[in-house]
Structures are given as structure tokens and as C-alpha cells.
Amino acid sequence: MGRRPPVSDLDDDAWTDEDEAGQRDSLTDVPGGVRLQKVLAAAGIGSRRHCEELIGAGRVEVDGEVVRRYGARVDPQHQVIRVDGRRIPAREDLVYVALNKPAGVLTTMSDSRGRPTMADLLGDITERLFHVGRLDYDTEGLMLLMNDGDLAHRLAHPRFGVPKTYLAEVSGPVPRDLGRELIGGIELEDGVVSADKFRVVERLGNRALVEITLHEGRKHVVKRMLAAAGHPVSRLVRTQVGPISLGSLRPGSTRPLSVKEVGDLYAAVGM
Ligand code: URA
């Protein structure tokens, strides 16, 4: 995993007084704070010079205020830093990971019965991570894990309605109007559920591969709604959570989320 170096590990040599000729702003330096361009560079925004250019161009905000002064000292632990209006993961202790969960793995971090859990797949990641929602034991695909509790909580909360996309292999043949039926709403024992989007990816004789997007987090919801519509699921893979795609991540593997992806997640839940 490519880990970011702690902010304090970055050398200060590139800093010159000449740089401080940048415009003033009213942001008060945080005593013992870290220079803004250093925080941006450590978060993976770009080289120190590129970050200085962003600051000079007025594209960086700290706690809602545009900061044009290169040497401003900020507190990345507590202040919200945005570039072009998008929040950046400025805290170097925060870890954001995508995992391709294989079938036969529990979406927990431990199991009293000794079954495989996600903890077995996290390799050298030692931070205590929260997982965003759950997948069934036999469901595969994208799980997001992070030690950013606020973000994880919002991503999982029904109020924010983060859409999730699944590929499902179902028994067929699938009628033309199945999408309309699923989007219109299917009655389940715990209430109606509707898909946001639906398409048939492939027809395979008496089976079909379908893609379904919904913003519900109810237990077994995809399997239950497709079964109720007459098309039981034989395989289910989650391919997308909000703005994050599974892509070509191999089953059982993890990858760190990029700065852009974390910014997209913040934006998806209004942070
Ligand atoms: N819906 C299901 O039926 N199972 C999952 O694992 C996720 C969504």
C-alpha cells in the first residue's frame, strides 16, 4: 500500500521568504501548525511548487476561507481544507481503502466461529477500520473501509441515500418490462423497494446478467427484490458505491482510495 509520509517528515527547504510575498488573508496561523503547501503536498495534491501555485491562484480554502498566503500554518487534524471547493483528506492518520470481497468472507473484522473475515485480507493495514455497510457472506465485490468515522457513518446512513450498483446473475428469461417493474417498486415484507436504475447486461439462455442500482441498505435487499420479481439471484457482485468503482481490483485485494476519490466521497455526503 502506498502510504503517505507523516506531514512532519517532509523537509522545509523549499520554503523561502520570497514565497511569502503572496497575498495576505485573515486566517490566523495555528500555533505549531504546518505550512499549508506542505499539508497539500503530503495529502497527494501534487508537488510543493504545484501546491503553492494553487494557493496563489486562490483555489485553496481553510475552514471556508480562501487562503492566498503560502506560509499560512494550519492544523490538518482539525481544520477543513478544500481545493477548488473539494475537501481533501488532510489528516495523515486517516486511511481509506477499497476491498474486493470474495464470496465466503464475512464483512466483519472477527468471527467467534473462526470463519474468514475482512481482517484476513487487510495485510499490513494495522489501523482500526470501519466498514461502510455490509455484504452477504456469499456476495462479492466492493467494500469501503476507513478509519474516518464521520465519513463512514454518513456513507452508511440511509439519510444520504448513497447509490450502490450490483451485477446479478439471475434465472431468466428476463422480460422486457422487468426494469420498469423494479423501478416502479416491489413489495417486500418490510415495505416497498425501488431500483434507481436497471439494465440487462447479457442474456444467457435461461439465465441473465443484470445490473441494478439502488440506494437502499436493507438486508439481502437485491436478492429479495429480484426473487420477488421472479428472478432469483445465483451470484451477486457489488461494482460501485457512490462515486467509487470496483474497477479491476482483484478478488481478495485492497487498494488505497485516491485523493480525488476521497474528495468525491465527502462531496457525496455533503461534507
Ligand atoms: N443485497 C443483497 O441481497 N445482498 C448483499 O450482499 C447486498 C445487497
Side-chain angles (χ1 to χ4, degrees), residues 193-214:
V193 60
S194 335
D196 298 330
K197 289 188 210 158
F198 176 84
R199 72 183 177 104
V200 178
V201 177
E202 206 177 345
R203 292 176 196 274
L204 313 153
N206 63 351
R207 314 202 73 74
L209 193 60
V210 301
E211 186 181 70
I212 183 165
T213 301
L214 67 173

Side-chain angles (χ1 to χ4, degrees), residues 135-136 139 166 220-223 236:
L135 290 176
D136 296 336
T139 299
Y166 300 83
H220 311 312
V221 70
V222 174
K223 291 176 188 165
L236 189 61

